[in-house]
Amino acid sequence: MKTAIIGLPQVGKTSLFTILTGVSSAARLGATAVHLGVARVPDPRLEALARLFAPPKITHATVEYIDMPALNRETLRDPGYLASLRAADAFALVLRLFDDETIPHLDGSIDPARDWKNLELELILSDLVVIEKRLDRLEKDRQKIKSADLDHEHALLEQCKAALDAGRPLRELALDAEAARRLRGFQFLSEKPMLLVLNLGETQAPELHRLEAAYRGDLVAAHRRAALAAVCGKLEAEIAALPPEEIRDYLASYSLTESGLLRLIQASYSLLGLMSCLTASESEVRAWTIPKHLPAIQAAGAIHTDFQKKFIRAEVIQWHELVELGGYPQAREKGRLRVEGKDYIVQDGDVLLIRHG
Ligand SMILES: Nc1nc2c(ncn2[C@@H]2O[C@H](COP(=O)(O)OP(=O)(O)OP(=O)(O)O)[C@@H](O)[C@H]2O)c(=O)[nH]1
Ligand SMILES: [Mg+2]
């Protein structure tokens, strides 16, 4: 699962990418190439389980981020740039809220709503070009061959074109599963789930939660498949360089209780329809990324293909119960380690013991 970090020039995309992934950008100032990095999803549940099992290995879930050069009409014509955008599963659009006279804003003032609208328009125009070409082609083909498949595609693309002409991104269309699958094949830019990332200045940090709630209401509440998270990029960069025992006090000096990265990564996670299940033993404590509403047998397959093929049953317990009870034997004795079959829908935070042949 890849999330592309996009936005206007100089809004903090690379800074955010660096904090999320730890991949330094120093060597690539002014670089035009895209850049890929992996972020560990911070997870207090893993730490709690690790205290119980004391394994030599703790493995976090990960999300991949791509740092993109600024998005505009020119870069959208670059085939390489477009290909990277199309391959992404979601976008994290960085919107500047920090004020800094030394870094001029492209449009002269701070206005996240306007910036989103302008960037969205570029995505929409880029999709329209693709749709119009495809519709031309389809019309010629439909004169030569009669095919229900071509008719479906034609109707779907006409529906999409109407939405785009009205300035609506494709992610907002309510489509049935078949049409949605067909649409995904086109990798349209305005179809991808959108996480807006408000980049606050340090002086705005104490107001982070209020600003986040206000902008969430104003910008994304009325939109499908869009979410919003606020972070203070500068502050996060400083936190990343601090020893762990100093972080809490440092955050407190800005009236914050936690790093914003956790919320941001969780927001991308949930926007992509993902969650984690866990496995825990003396040898490894690990989080596994799975889609929401996944049956146990498929979750077993995410852990190991053999587990899916030879699945017998899963023993399941929520992570905090396992921690509270002190281990599997105690959980089993108290009847809290449930036996579930292949159709059990795995819940976020479930610890799974897969029994297989
Ligand atoms: N004051 C302030 N400056 C910031 C913040 N975030 C980023 N900057 C500064 O803004 C400038 C651009 O940051 P980058 O992270 O390179 O921004 P970018 O969006 O990747 O820029 P381009 O890739 O050139 O489009 C740098 O000088 C950063 O130090 C912030 O939260 N506050
Ligand atoms: Mg950059």
Side-chain angles (χ1 to χ4, degrees):
M1 286 290 176
K2 285 196 199 71
T3 297
I5 302 178
I6 61 172
L8 292 173
Q10 301 283 293
V11 292
K13 300 181 296 299
T14 300
S15 308
L16 182 69
F17 172 81
T18 307
I19 312 160
L20 285 167
T21 64
V23 177
S24 164
S25 59
R28 41 181 297 279
L29 271 181
T32 50
V34 297
H35 206 69
L36 181 75
V38 178
R40 275 180 12 166
V41 180
D43 195 337
R45 301 172 302 185
L46 286 182
E47 285 146 34
L49 288 167
R51 279 193 292 276
L52 181 62
F53 288 94
K57 200 169 160 201
I58 304 171
T59 310
H60 287 74
T62 56
V63 187
E64 284 180 29
Y65 289 96
I66 319 170
D67 182 25
M68 303 289 298
L71 189 151
N72 57 45
R73 213 159 285 186
E74 261 72 71
T75 48
L76 279 178
R77 283 204 200 96
D78 172 354
Y81 185 90
L82 256 182
S84 302
L85 279 189
R86 292 205 191 290
D89 299 291
F91 292 147
L93 172 59
V94 182
L95 295 169
R96 173 173 165 182
L97 210 65
F98 68 86
D99 213 356
D100 188 333
E101 280 163 16
T102 63
I103 305 163
H105 189 290
L106 185 70
D107 290 307
S109 63
I110 304 293
D111 184 346
R114 173 203 59 203
D115 293 348
W116 182 23
K117 202 160 147 252
N118 288 346
L119 284 163
E120 191 83 270
L121 183 64
E122 296 304 329
L123 302 181
I124 286 175
L125 291 175
S126 163
D127 286 348
L128 262 178
V129 173
V130 178
I131 289 200
E132 276 162 7
K133 264 195 205 137
R134 181 64 195 152
L135 277 173
D136 271 357
R137 181 79 247 166
L138 273 176
E139 260 142 44
K140 287 186 189 114
D141 288 351
R142 283 167 81 227
Q143 282 166 6
K144 285 182 233 148
I145 356 166
K146 277 241 165 301
S147 142
D149 198 47
L150 292 185
D151 292 346
H152 283 147
E153 185 179 340
H154 187 265
L156 176 64
L157 290 184
E158 283 291 356
Q159 185 189 357
C160 290
K161 185 173 176 316
L164 295 174
D165 281 336
R168 283 181 66 206
L170 299 178
R171 83 180 71 85
E172 299 199 352
L173 291 180
L175 299 171
D176 60 42
E178 157 64 17
R181 192 192 51 76
R182 197 186 274 270
L183 201 63
R184 265 199 302 279
F186 285 97
Q187 300 186 311
F188 287 124
L189 302 182
S190 76
E191 192 274 331
K192 299 187 191 292
M194 178 72 88
L195 174 67
L196 303 182
V197 181
L198 282 186
N199 190 9
L200 272 55
E202 281 158 290
T203 53
Q204 296 161 312
E207 287 196 278
L208 187 136
H209 293 287
R210 189 188 64 74
L211 287 167
E212 186 175 69
Y215 276 100
R216 197 172 274 152
D218 284 352
L219 294 182
V220 299
H223 297 277
R224 293 184 70 233
R225 296 169 70 218
L228 181 144
V231 291
C232 178
K234 268 263 162 72
L235 214 143
E236 295 291 346
E238 282 156 23
I239 293 172
L242 284 178
E245 63 275 12
E246 287 174 26
I247 293 178
R248 187 167 290 277
D249 285 347
Y250 188 77
L251 282 168
S253 69
Y254 288 94
S255 324
L256 294 170
T257 52
E258 52 166 22
S259 151
L261 293 188
L262 178 63
R263 283 192 342 277
L264 194 150
I265 297 175
Q266 277 164 351
S268 4
Y269 220 62
S270 124
L271 190 64
L272 287 165
L274 301 175
M275 58 174 223
S276 322
C277 62
L278 311 159
T279 53
S281 72
E282 276 76 22
S283 56
E284 187 183 19
V285 165
R286 178 162 184 172
W288 303 86
T289 300
I290 54 171
K292 289 176 188 161
H293 313 295
L294 196 69
I297 185 161
Q298 287 181 40
I303 296 170
H304 198 299
T305 40
D306 267 2
F307 288 7
Q308 180 163 5
K309 282 188 216 135
K310 298 175 185 160
F311 184 91
I312 298 172
R313 61 176 188 274
E315 289 178 281
V316 184
I317 183 169
Q318 268 288 311
W319 71 275
H320 59 88
E321 275 200 281
L322 182 58
V323 169
E324 281 154 24
L325 293 169
Y328 294 116
Q330 295 89 326
R332 200 170 276 129
E333 197 176 297
K334 291 246 159 61
R336 305 312 295 265
L337 197 63
R338 302 179 332 262
V339 175
E340 302 280 4
K342 62 180 172 42
D343 297 325
Y344 167 73
I345 300 297
V346 176
Q347 306 295 309
D348 197 25
D350 273 351
V351 180
L352 303 179
L353 276 174
I354 307 293
R355 298 295 171 202
H356 55 90

